[in-house]
Amino acid sequence: MLKKILLPTILILLAYGFWISPDFKVVSAGVAVFLLGMVFLEQGFKAFTGGVLEKLLHFSTNKMWKSLTFGIISTSLLQSSSLVSVIAISFLSAGLIGLSQGIGIIFGANLGTTTGAWLVAAFGLKVNISSYAMPLLVFGLVFQFDKNKALQGIGNVLIGIGLLFLGIHYMKEGFEAFRDSVDLSQYAMTGISGLLFYTLIGIIATVVMQSSHATLILIITALASHQVSYENSLAVAIGANVGTTITAILGALSANIQGKRLAAAHLVFNVLTGSIALLFIEQMVWVVGHFSSIIGIDSNNYTMQLALFHSLFNTVGIVVLLPFVGHLVKMLVRLLPDYRAGGLSINTKDTSIHRARYLSEISLNYPETAMQAMVKESVHLFQNAYQIVSLGVFVRAFEIKKTKELKELLNLETELVTVNIDELYQRYIKGVYADILRYGSQIESGLSLEQSTQVFSLKLACRKIVDAIKDIKHLHKNLANYVKSDNDVVREQYDLLRLRIIIILKQIYELRLLSDADDLATKTDLIKLAIAKQDIGSNGALEQLIRMRRIDPMVASSLINDSGYVHSICNNLVDSVIGIFRRATGDIIQAEQEMELDQDELMAILKKHKGSR
């Protein structure tokens, strides 16, 4: 309802403003051109997010000071804290950075956005900035005609900067013309009521324009033309900081729970920073005035003092909150719990269906990030399947990983409990696999040929994981019947089938730790060769047992079928490792705690089935 009312209201107000004042048209046109410039600037820098910005972010955020620095520098370059926030949310949603790293970027972005105010206050209002806009627009348009995407991106950046300059020029001209006909300064308000009212104006303006940067430039040009008082401009700057969180919140709507946590952290930081600035505004104004005299800013240069004030209260916010980042992370995790897959949980008769953890709509805007998210989600699917296959042969995954003599696992009588593989498939595999297929089809349209091939390979690997689960479902039933058979030979043969899968699972666990793709390919080839030699249906071992009458032909037929299932399971698992882990980075592979099924859930499942026997 609010959205339906908001747009018509804005259009009516604009139309009324155009009708009563030609100068209002100039100011509005300046804002519109400025915002259009930000759109071009964002599109231009997006041309470089297909790997460059993502890699820079990935390797520049492993420490808090690096995250802060990245936020400051990237926002200073992009001139959009909103864009940096959205990129950070997409990376966090994809699991490529941690929540504390994302919070560091948000803190830095808030400080980085002050650079635009400094540039405009120092230079934009003192020179004929429109003269620089024209050549930038011309060169930018020339670059647009080139087929090279990088050059087109540079062209967009140049056009964006040119339009920003042009927008600032029109806003400046409009407010100067306003001064001759309408004196907006007569609406200045003092005291607490003035602070709160103009803070609200700053919030509303930023929400409407979706840019705190645009709000700041607008208020700086108005302040330079004496159309707004210094005190009221400070309140608008505070409101702009709070209002910019709306963009991050909107961006987080399509993100998973981690993205929502970061948007909440952004809101906490900006609201708390704004509150501190409002409570201690007199002290901050004194500090700004004192510091201005030290660095040579004239006492009447209120635009520079506004820029200094903006930097000051953002810095204070960082200093106050930085020691409590760990506590903030814990609070957000507690208030916004992760129901496996970004909060998405479907309950049917107490059975929660797990969904994708790392895939989000917001990541689709950045192909490299989207690819990494899909790789990590495929790893998530593989690990779920690894656990289920382990249960299918009556062992648990952590026992395979820690045990050296794998034959010992065959004698764990307490684990010989049948489980409902189909239930585990529905709970841990089907939803995640469906999300991977949907996500893969969504990102393919914007990928290069090489990336499209990688997506196809990942989807094929995930398909093999699903096939392995379906095979283990059939195998598990016969294992349950024959693994405790009175016939020692039958029991021994089925234990050998179990051991074959256990060995492969152990080898796969070790394969995942290989970082070299060539080593991975060589070792998987050797494993597949060994799998082929072990097939009881083709190596003559079964025929010999039948001739010696040590095994019943009816049981032998089941054994041949089950050996075929084992052969298929082992091959599918190895093929999925090749398809997934040669693209996974080391930190993804080794993040065991992120890729384990809930052990309490698994024990509950085992106890339930044990009790039903």
Side-chain angles (χ1 to χ4, degrees):
M1 179 61 70
L2 183 61
K3 290 182 179 179
K4 291 181 179 179
I5 296 173
L6 186 61
L7 182 59
T9 303
I10 293 172
L11 293 175
I12 291 170
L13 290 174
L14 286 174
Y16 179 71
F18 295 158
W19 180 57
I20 64 172
S21 173
D23 300 322
F24 181 73
K25 295 179 185 177
V26 180
V27 176
S28 300
V31 175
V33 171
F34 185 88
L35 291 174
L36 183 61
M38 293 199 69
V39 172
F40 271 95
L41 197 63
E42 181 175 327
Q43 290 299 321
F45 278 107
K46 273 187 178 180
F48 303 101
T49 59
V52 178
L53 190 58
E54 287 92 334
K55 289 176 182 176
L56 181 63
L57 176 58
H58 187 61
F59 292 108
S60 303
T61 57
N62 56 341
K63 293 183 179 179
M64 179 55 70
W65 70 267
K66 287 186 178 182
S67 298
L68 281 169
T69 304
F70 179 86
I72 294 169
I73 294 175
S74 59
T75 306
S76 300
L77 292 174
L78 299 177
Q79 284 300 295
S80 174
S81 60
S82 299
L83 176 59
V84 174
S85 299
V86 169
I87 292 174
I89 288 171
S90 74
F91 261 69
L92 185 60
S93 298
L96 300 179
I97 60 174
L99 182 56
S100 59
Q101 295 167 297
I103 290 174
I105 294 170
I106 293 296
F107 286 5
N110 274 274
L111 187 57
T113 195
T114 65
T115 58
W118 278 103
L119 290 172
V120 173
F123 305 107
L125 301 177
K126 297 178 181 179
V127 297
N128 184 13
I129 201 168
S130 63
S131 62
Y132 296 98
M134 302 306 176
L136 287 170
L137 291 172
V138 172
F139 283 118
L141 188 62
V142 171
F143 279 120
Q144 282 289 299
F145 291 124
D146 198 282
K147 293 182 179 180
N148 186 293
K149 286 188 176 181
L151 290 178
Q152 288 180 358
I154 293 172
N156 276 327
V157 170
L158 294 177
I159 291 174
I161 296 173
L163 289 174
L164 291 180
F165 286 177
L166 204 59
I168 293 169
H169 169 76
Y170 279 120
M171 281 188 270
K172 177 185 173 185
E173 292 292 317
F175 277 117
E176 287 179 351
F178 250 133
R179 187 170 53 186
D180 298 330
S181 56
V182 180
D183 185 12
L184 293 177
S185 61
Q186 64 182 318
Y187 299 103
M189 298 174 65
T190 58
I192 296 176
S193 59
L195 279 176
L196 296 178
F197 177 77
Y198 277 91
T199 299
L200 181 62
I201 292 293
I203 293 173
I204 293 172
T206 304
V207 169
V208 170
M209 293 188 288
Q210 287 292 289
S211 170
S212 61
H213 198 64
T215 303
L216 280 172
I217 303 308
L218 183 64
I219 203 64
I220 286 173
T221 53
L223 181 61
S225 302
H226 308 290
Q227 289 290 307
V228 65
S229 70
Y230 175 56
E231 182 182 342
N232 293 159
S233 69
L234 299 181
V236 173
I238 295 170
N241 245 43
V242 176
T244 194
T245 58
I246 300 300
T247 303
I249 291 170
L250 292 174
L253 291 178
S254 60
N256 62 16
I257 194 65
Q258 285 286 71
K260 290 178 173 64
R261 287 171 180 167
L262 184 58
H266 194 188
L267 180 63
V268 169
F269 173 78
N270 285 41
V271 170
L272 186 59
T273 301
S275 300
I276 292 172
L278 287 173
L279 287 172
F280 299 99
I281 192 165
E282 291 184 5
Q283 290 82 355
M284 286 191 177
V285 168
W286 181 86
V287 172
V288 167
H290 184 69
F291 193 70
S292 296
S293 63
I294 294 175
I295 62 176
I297 297 176
D298 191 79
S299 60
N300 295 323
N301 191 344
Y302 292 119
T303 55
M304 290 288 286
Q305 290 184 44
L306 173 59
L308 180 57
F309 173 81
H310 193 224
S311 297
L312 174 64
F313 81 77
N314 274 292
T315 302
V316 168
I318 293 173
V319 171
V320 170
L321 273 178
L322 200 57
F324 302 100
V325 168
H327 297 289
L328 179 60
V329 169
K330 291 178 182 177
M331 182 189 74
L332 292 171
V333 170
R334 186 175 66 253
L335 295 178
L336 298 171
D338 185 359
Y339 296 105
R340 290 179 181 80
L344 180 57
S345 179
I346 302 172
N347 293 310
T348 55
K349 296 181 180 179
D350 263 348
T351 302
S352 60
I353 298 177
H354 289 216
R355 304 301 293 266
R357 289 178 178 175
Y358 309 105
L359 308 181
S360 66
E361 301 295 328
I362 194 171
S363 301
L364 293 171
N365 295 320
Y366 309 100
E368 189 70 23
T369 306
M371 283 295 303
Q372 287 297 314
M374 191 165 175
V375 169
K376 194 158 189 178
E377 199 60 61
S378 300
V379 173
H380 172 211
L381 179 70
F382 176 88
Q383 185 64 17
N384 285 2
Y386 189 99
Q387 301 258 343
I388 294 171
V389 172
S390 301
L391 289 175
V393 291
F394 307 109
V395 294
R396 282 178 287 174
F398 74 89
E399 291 168 339
I400 296 175
K401 295 172 184 177
K402 72 178 183 180
T403 303
K404 293 183 179 180
E405 292 295 330
L406 297 178
K407 287 185 179 180
E408 295 176 2
L409 298 177
L410 300 177
N411 301 320
L412 297 177
E413 295 292 330
T414 56
E415 295 302 324
L416 297 181
V417 180
T418 59
V419 293
N420 190 332
I421 299 293
D422 192 57
E423 178 187 333
L424 294 176
Y425 168 77
Q426 295 291 335
R427 179 181 295 194
Y428 294 111
I429 301 296
K430 189 173 183 178
V432 179
Y433 180 54
D435 288 339
I436 289 173
L437 291 180
R438 176 188 56 79
Y439 194 80
S441 64
Q442 286 180 301
I443 66 173
E444 280 185 327
S445 58
L447 299 181
S448 64
L449 180 60
E450 181 183 358
Q451 288 173 324
S452 295
T453 303
Q454 290 177 3
V455 169
F456 176 78
S457 179
L458 284 171
K459 290 198 291 187
L460 183 61
C462 292
R463 176 63 200 176
K464 289 182 178 293
I465 290 173
V466 172
D467 289 340
I469 297 297
K470 291 182 177 179
D471 287 337
I472 198 69
K473 180 177 73 171
H474 297 298
L475 175 65
H476 184 70
K477 293 177 181 178
N478 275 355
L479 283 178
N481 291 330
Y482 292 117
V483 80
K484 290 186 176 181
S485 172
D486 294 332
N487 186 321
D488 292 341
V489 176
V490 172
R491 188 170 63 249
E492 179 185 351
Q493 290 301 317
Y494 271 94
D495 275 342
L496 286 175
L497 293 185
R498 291 173 61 205
L499 185 60
R500 282 169 56 189
I501 292 179
I502 291 171
I503 290 171
I504 290 298
L505 290 174
K506 180 72 169 182
Q507 290 174 329
I508 284 174
Y509 175 67
E510 294 168 350
L511 283 176
R512 292 169 55 240
L513 302 179
L514 294 176
S515 58
D516 187 271
D518 292 334
D519 287 345
L520 181 65
T522 301
K523 298 208 173 192
T524 49
D525 285 343
L526 292 174
I527 291 172
K528 293 193 74 173
L529 185 61
I531 292 170
K533 291 180 179 179
Q534 291 170 352
D535 186 6
I536 195 172
S538 59
N539 62 12
L542 187 59
E543 286 80 356
Q544 186 176 357
L545 290 173
I546 294 173
R547 283 196 300 271
M548 295 173 64
R549 297 187 178 182
R550 299 187 64 189
I551 191 168
D552 184 89
M554 294 293 290
V555 176
S557 65
S558 295
L559 192 55
I560 290 175
N561 290 333
D562 292 334
S563 180
Y565 285 134
V566 171
H567 185 269
S568 177
I569 291 165
C570 293
N571 274 311
N572 281 325
L573 290 176
V574 173
D575 286 340
S576 66
V577 168
I578 297 171
I580 295 172
F581 288 96
R582 64 181 176 184
R583 293 179 178 83
T585 58
D587 60 316
I588 293 176
I589 293 173
Q590 295 176 26
E592 289 297 321
Q593 69 277 11
E594 295 182 9
M595 300 185 295
E596 294 287 346
L597 295 187
D598 190 291
Q599 291 299 317
D600 291 335
E601 282 190 43
L602 288 177
M603 290 306 297
I605 292 169
L606 286 172
K607 287 179 182 177
K608 181 180 73 173
H609 287 288
K610 185 182 289 187
S612 65
R613 282 172 61 85

